[in-house]
């Protein structure tokens, strides 16, 4: 196979990887915040359920979670849904990453000094204003390095979608490698991941710099 | 004159676990009065301030601002007013913290204007005007765009005083306003408080600065073990010959 064809096919795989990556971030970042609230809820039962959810998400392989989500409709409703493969991937990735993000959010929120809440309270801000105007913007700054870590891991984790026969970049590379009996396609895929992550790291670094106007 | 009483605390109690931090504290504050609260650490003076500013819930007694009760005790149970009354009451007072608690992600100007604009609906333009005037008054003209981390401790504390004043409170509380400052910076903050006293701002100041308390206060309360041991004008207090008070003042001089 010529280099041109290989690059074209890998690029097609890359698009799928980028889709999984972007949609997962889009859903898991807000979902993680909601999960973090549940984890810090004053109601014991909610706290317990969320803690259990997080421990399952972190304690079992993402690959297994992908399979469970994909086959869930069959076991719950007794039938499969057409075209559920890609949604299943996004759901599994999102609820998995939401669990990790939730703990990052929680760490950030709990690291905020009490004085910030008290100053806001005395000034008459309500709880909603206090959180979204005063606390959360500062939390973002504090958690950005950890979020970057997770985001970079996510880029590489997209390759796990192969377990549901989704032809993302790594699956594509393996297929070409098998056909050509060459390791080259895999190396090129590796380079693609590396560049992808270099871009992610660059963007996150810009975010951090943007927030470095205060301490 | 009844409505000259801005703040009335009656039989306030506060318990942390088994420890009774405040025992039966009563205090009335008249308009224009400057009251300093002194006493050893652990005497309950900060807790008193935190209960009065609703940061801490009291376990007994009553708390009234002007003619609105924030909390009353009925049949031995403390009942706090509803959300609306408490919001109104929060507009009656300001609090200056020991470690400033400015919002680090906001510019100096936004630190001052954000609360009036978003909690009281003051028009942005008006709030900015007030803020600029306050900053100029407090010797911080030109610092509008600075961020708290770019200011010295003394400047930060003056910004936090401006932030509290921007809500035009009836009474201003200070919780050890100079304790987090280097000695050479305490002067600029004390000067600002002294000026406010001259302008007849009603203030309640928890402080360890005895000389300052003596000069600026109409009344000084000496607290120990959760009770107001002695109170009076500075002259009365410092010449009272009260054993515990003298012991405390003596320890400060060492």
């Amino acid at each position: 196979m010529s280099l041109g064809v290989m690059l074209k096919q890998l690029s097609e795989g890359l698009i799928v990887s980028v889709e999984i990556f972007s949609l997962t971030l889009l859903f898991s970042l807000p979902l993680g915040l909601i999960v973090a609230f549940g984890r810090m809820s004053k109601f014991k039962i909610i706290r317990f359920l969320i803690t259990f959810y997080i421990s399952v998400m972190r304690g079992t392989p993402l690959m297994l979670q992908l399979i469970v989500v994909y086959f869930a409709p069959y076991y719950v409703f007794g039938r499969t849904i057409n075209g559920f493969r890609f949604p299943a991937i996004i759901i599994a990735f999102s609820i998995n990453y939401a669990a990790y993000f939730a703990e990052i959010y929680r760490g950030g929120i709990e690291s905020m000094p009490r004085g910030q809440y008290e100053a806001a309270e005395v000034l008459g801000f309500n709880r909603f204003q206090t959180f979204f105007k005063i606390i959360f913007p500062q939390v973002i700054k504090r958690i950005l390095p950890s979020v970057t870590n997770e985001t970079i891991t996510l880029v590489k984790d997209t390759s796990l979608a192969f377990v549901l026969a989704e032809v993302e970049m790594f699956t594509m590379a393996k297929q070409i490698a098998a056909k050509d009996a060459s390791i080259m396609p895999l190396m090129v895929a590796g380079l693609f991941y590396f560049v992808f992550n270099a871009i992610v790291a660059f963007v996150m670094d810009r975010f951090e710099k943007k927030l470095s106007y205060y301490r | 004159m009844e409505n000259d009483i801005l703040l009335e605390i009656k039989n306030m109690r506060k318990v942390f676990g088994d420890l009774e931090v405040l025992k039966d504290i009563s205090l009335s504050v008249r308009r224009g009065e400057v009251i300093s609260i002194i006493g050893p650490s652990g005497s309950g003076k900060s807790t008193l301030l935190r209960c009065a500013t609703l940061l801490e819930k009291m376990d007994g007694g009553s708390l009234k601002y002007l003619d609105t009760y924030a909390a009353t005790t009925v049949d031995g149970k403390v009942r706090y007013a509803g959300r609306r009354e408490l919001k109104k009451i929060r507009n009656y007072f300001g609090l200056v913290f020991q470690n400033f608690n400015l919002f680090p992600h906001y510019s100096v100007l936004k630190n001052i204007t954000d609360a009036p604009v978003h909690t009281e609906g003051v028009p942005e333009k008006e709030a900015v005007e007030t803020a600029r005037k306050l900053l100029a008054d407090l010797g911080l003209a030109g610092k509008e765009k600075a961020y708290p981390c770019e200011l010295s401790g003394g400047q930060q504390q003056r910004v936090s005083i401006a932030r509290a004043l921007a809500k035009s409170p009836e009474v201003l509380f200070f919780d050890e306003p100079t304790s987090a400052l280097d000695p050479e910076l305490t002067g600029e903050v004390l000067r600002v408080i002294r000026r406010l006293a001259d302008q007849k701002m009603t203030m309640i100041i928890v402080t360890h600065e005895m000389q300052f308390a003596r000069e600026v206060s109409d009344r000084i309360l000496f607290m120990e073990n959760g009770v107001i041991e002695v109170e009076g004008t500075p002259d009365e207090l410092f010449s009272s010959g009260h054993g515990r008070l003298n012991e405390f003042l003596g320890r400060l001089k060492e």
Side-chain angles (χ1 to χ4, degrees):
Chain A
M1 189 183 287
S2 77
L3 188 66
V5 175
M6 182 182 83
L7 286 179
K8 186 170 168 290
Q9 290 191 345
L10 281 182
S11 302
E12 280 162 18
L14 178 64
I15 289 171
V16 177
S17 298
V18 171
E19 278 171 6
I20 297 171
F21 170 82
S22 331
L23 289 171
T24 300
L25 277 189
L26 181 70
F27 294 120
S28 62
L29 281 170
L31 183 61
L33 187 59
I34 295 167
V35 174
F37 286 140
R39 178 72 179 74
M40 296 183 292
S41 167
K42 58 183 169 191
F43 300 109
K44 210 173 167 183
I45 179 77
I46 296 179
R47 234 172 29 233
F48 173 79
L49 287 173
I50 294 292
T51 307
F52 179 72
Y53 155 74
I54 292 173
S55 69
V56 169
M57 287 297 137
R58 296 199 302 185
T60 60
L62 176 52
M63 199 187 287
L64 174 62
Q65 293 164 20
L66 281 157
I67 295 169
V68 168
V69 170
Y70 181 63
F71 289 108
Y74 176 76
Y75 286 106
V76 176
F77 305 113
R79 65 194 199 90
T80 52
I81 304 170
N82 276 341
F84 186 58
R85 188 168 38 178
F86 192 71
I89 290 168
I90 302 303
I91 291 171
F93 269 95
S94 295
I95 60 175
N96 177 281
Y97 271 81
Y100 285 94
F101 284 137
E103 288 296 86
I104 293 175
Y105 283 127
R106 183 170 69 91
I109 291 168
E110 287 179 349
S111 77
M112 287 295 297
R114 261 181 74 103
Q116 292 288 303
Y117 290 95
E118 292 181 347
E121 187 182 331
V122 169
L123 287 168
F125 288 114
N126 61 35
R127 285 179 56 169
F128 187 83
Q129 289 172 321
T130 302
F131 186 77
F132 285 103
K133 290 172 78 72
I134 309 299
I135 303 299
F136 194 56
Q138 297 184 58
V139 167
I140 290 179
K141 180 182 164 90
R142 288 174 186 223
I143 65 174
L144 220 44
S146 316
V147 170
T148 304
N149 258 339
E150 283 307 313
T151 311
I152 284 174
T153 305
L154 173 61
V155 170
K156 293 173 288 180
D157 272 358
T158 55
S159 63
L160 288 172
F162 85 90
V163 75
L164 297 186
E166 182 68 49
V167 188
E168 41 62 56
M169 183 166 55
F170 199 71
T171 314
M172 186 66 87
K174 268 197 316 191
Q175 286 172 2
I176 305 171
K179 205 158 40 187
D180 292 4
S182 156
I183 197 175
M184 194 55 190
L186 291 169
M187 300 305 280
V188 175
L191 186 67
F192 275 30
Y193 282 115
F194 184 78
V195 173
F196 191 170
N197 267 329
I199 295 168
V200 168
F202 176 77
V203 170
M204 296 305 277
D205 188 57
R206 288 294 291 271
F207 271 134
E208 273 186 50
K209 288 222 169 68
K210 223 180 145 182
L211 291 178
S212 68
Y213 67 87
Y214 73 89
R215 270 200 309 274
Chain B
M1 278 193 293
E2 175 68 18
N3 69 344
D4 249 20
I5 305 284
L6 288 186
L7 165 64
E8 193 168 32
I9 295 169
K10 275 188 184 156
N11 313 109
M12 184 187 276
R13 282 180 64 244
K14 176 68 191 175
V15 187
F16 286 122
D18 289 338
L19 190 67
E20 200 173 11
V21 190
L22 295 178
K23 303 166 190 160
D24 199 32
I25 300 277
S26 293
L27 168 67
S28 293
V29 182
R30 276 187 301 278
R31 191 181 292 279
E33 230 182 345
V34 177
I35 296 177
S36 291
I37 305 176
I38 61 173
S41 49
S43 58
K45 50 196 197 312
S46 278
T47 307
L48 172 57
L49 220 62
R50 292 174 61 81
C51 286
T53 52
L54 307 173
L55 287 176
E56 212 73 71
K57 288 209 161 172
M58 52 200 227
D59 297 307
S62 68
L63 171 64
K64 186 168 89 169
Y65 280 90
L66 290 161
D67 47 12
T68 313
Y69 274 98
T72 49
T73 299
V74 184
D75 299 332
K77 282 204 113 169
V78 176
R79 293 193 15 207
Y80 272 83
R83 187 187 293 234
R84 194 169 304 165
E85 279 86 11
L86 291 182
K87 186 169 158 59
K88 186 170 133 196
I89 285 169
R90 285 203 177 91
N91 282 333
Y92 288 152
F93 65 77
L95 170 60
V96 174
F97 296 87
Q98 180 177 344
N99 43 9
F100 332 136
N101 290 335
L102 289 173
F103 304 132
H105 59 310
Y106 282 177
S107 68
V108 164
L109 194 68
K110 193 158 184 201
N111 260 285
I112 301 171
T113 59
D114 208 46
V117 171
H118 290 106
T119 69
E120 294 173 83
V122 175
E124 176 104 30
K125 216 177 130 196
E126 195 178 304
V128 168
E129 226 165 86
T130 312
R132 285 188 193 282
K133 224 175 128 243
L134 282 169
L135 286 173
D137 277 355
L138 300 185
L140 292 163
K143 294 286 181 199
E144 286 83 354
K145 287 192 178 133
Y147 284 88
C149 63
E150 299 164 336
L151 303 178
S152 73
Q155 289 172 325
Q156 288 187 48
Q157 191 58 300
R158 282 185 284 150
V159 172
S160 89
I161 293 172
R163 178 174 72 172
L165 288 172
K167 298 197 74 191
S168 20
E170 302 278 351
V171 47
L172 198 49
F173 293 92
F174 290 87
D175 189 6
E176 304 193 20
T178 58
S179 295
L181 297 176
D182 293 336
E184 73 264 27
L185 298 178
T186 58
E188 61 186 69
V189 171
L190 295 183
R191 259 198 306 284
V192 164
I193 302 174
R194 196 172 280 137
R195 265 242 320 276
L196 291 171
D198 293 341
Q199 295 162 6
K200 291 289 163 226
M201 182 77 210
T202 314
M203 293 187 286
I204 299 172
I205 309 163
V206 169
T207 185
H208 288 294
E209 300 281 337
M210 287 312 134
Q211 193 50 41
F212 172 73
R214 194 168 187 166
E215 288 164 24
V216 84
S217 314
D218 298 307
R219 251 197 300 163
I220 299 182
L221 316 181
F222 170 64
M223 282 184 73
E224 194 167 38
N225 299 323
V227 295
I228 298 174
E229 276 282 345
V230 208
E231 71 169 288
T233 64
D235 287 342
E236 282 168 7
L237 205 88
F238 283 95
S239 58
S240 66
H242 187 280
R244 308 288 278 278
L245 173 59
N246 281 347
E247 208 177 290
F248 170 67
L249 292 173
R251 269 206 308 274
L252 282 185
K253 286 206 186 84
E254 277 165 18

